[in-house]
Amino acid sequence: MVDGAHPAPAGALWSVRGAAFAVGERAILGPLTLDLPAGRVYGLIGPNGSGKSTLLKMMARQLAPGSGELRFDGRPLGAWSGRAFAREVAYMPQFLPASDGINVRELVSLGRYPWHGALGRFSPEDEARVEAAIQRAGLAPFRERAVDSLSGGERQRAWLALMLAQGARCLLLDEPTSALDIAHQMEVLAILRELGGEGPDGGAMTVIVILHDINLAARTCDALLALRGGRLLAHGPCHEIMEPERLRAIYGLDMGVMAHPVSGTPMSYVL
């Protein structure tokens, strides 16, 4: 049953009401209730098995909740057609699909599919969107390179460019930095940070990203959503979540927090 005791506030881009997911008798997530306004970068954090990927897949319509409801822009997810939803929400899974035999420009062009379909004509606007996405992701020199010949960081940026070409108002990313070195992690997160609040055609873009590095999450995101055991333990600005007591509740470790010597951003460390 949808949690009617907590009506969605006006203006919430995402509203989750009593959403839960289970495999057999094993509860994976929820019941969970939360609201996310548009135009911010949200970090999903928590230990392995806490339900982060399950929540993101439910938001991306890759999984249907066993109970409860998710709404995007005031409408239940099931009320959206596939193409209409893809024009609004772009999803990058943790394990990227194979991209054999295509180059970067061809991959990024797939982001325009929700706008013209399989048989539609690729318009000048589509061309412009693809080129702008390639430029934004810093991939202009690799435009004609085969995707499978790219480094890990370049490949992640190519898929991010596909999402940008899609023209969606919300990006969902599942551990986009997990296999990258620190330099490529910073490249990808810098793009996500820049995108927060900057949507297509002047609208507000919302980014929801799963990150395992709590310090990179605090550096990149406007707010953090901390899950453990399928439950939402904390949700708020980074400085409120980056406290020793809360970090211990989330990760089960004694942790300290200090200010970054340059930016002042809170940083955690294991005691």
Side-chain angles (χ1 to χ4, degrees), residues 5-16:
H6 300 87
L13 183 67
W14 284 97
S15 293
V16 181

Side-chain angles (χ1 to χ4, degrees), residues 96 99 104 139 142 145-159 179-181 183-184 187-188:
L96 297 175
S99 51
V104 168
L139 292 170
F142 307 101
R145 280 270 301 273
V147 175
D148 56 8
S149 74
L150 300 176
S151 70
E154 293 161 352
R155 193 177 301 115
Q156 289 282 34
R157 282 189 284 137
W159 282 92
L180 305 183
D181 60 42
H184 287 111
E187 287 179 0
V188 170

Side-chain angles (χ1 to χ4, degrees), residues 16-216:
V16 181
R17 290 292 175 273
F21 185 82
V23 176
E25 298 297 318
R26 183 186 171 209
I28 305 297
L29 182 72
L32 186 151
T33 293
L34 63 92
D35 299 291
L36 302 178
R40 301 179 186 176
V41 180
Y42 297 97
L44 283 174
I45 63 170
N48 291 339
S50 59
K52 302 183 298 298
S53 291
T54 299
L55 174 59
L56 208 68
K57 288 177 181 177
M58 287 167 56
M59 299 175 85
R61 302 208 314 182
Q62 303 295 306
L63 285 177
S67 60
E69 181 182 69
L70 290 86
R71 288 177 174 259
F72 178 80
D73 204 16
R75 297 170 59 188
L77 293 194
W80 291 85
S81 71
R83 284 182 62 181
F85 188 72
R87 291 177 178 180
E88 300 285 340
V89 179
Y91 170 61
M92 181 189 290
Q94 181 178 357
F95 302 105
L96 297 175
S99 51
D100 299 340
I102 63 173
N103 62 31
V104 168
R105 187 191 174 284
E106 291 167 336
L107 176 68
V108 178
S109 296
L110 295 177
R112 299 305 298 165
Y113 176 83
W115 298 92
H116 59 68
L119 302 177
R121 180 174 174 271
F122 207 75
S123 69
E125 180 183 354
D126 293 321
E127 296 278 5
R129 295 271 188 173
V130 168
E131 182 59 28
I134 289 173
Q135 294 286 345
R136 187 60 182 274
L139 292 170
F142 307 101
R143 189 184 288 104
E144 304 302 327
R145 280 270 301 273
V147 175
D148 56 8
S149 74
L150 300 176
S151 70
E154 293 161 352
R155 193 177 301 115
Q156 289 282 34
R157 282 189 284 137
W159 282 92
L160 181 55
L162 181 156
M163 299 175 79
L164 297 179
Q166 196 168 326
R169 288 192 292 147
C170 180
L171 306 184
L172 308 175
L173 303 99
D174 192 344
E175 297 188 43
T177 62
S178 61
L180 305 183
D181 60 42
I182 186 62
H184 287 111
Q185 287 181 21
M186 299 309 298
E187 287 179 0
V188 170
L189 293 178
I191 295 173
L192 297 182
R193 177 63 268 169
E194 291 172 2
L195 291 172
E198 179 188 321
D201 304 318
M205 179 172 282
T206 304
V207 178
I208 304 174
V209 55
I210 295 176
L211 294 169
H212 272 301
D213 189 316
I214 182 67
N215 291 325
L216 289 181

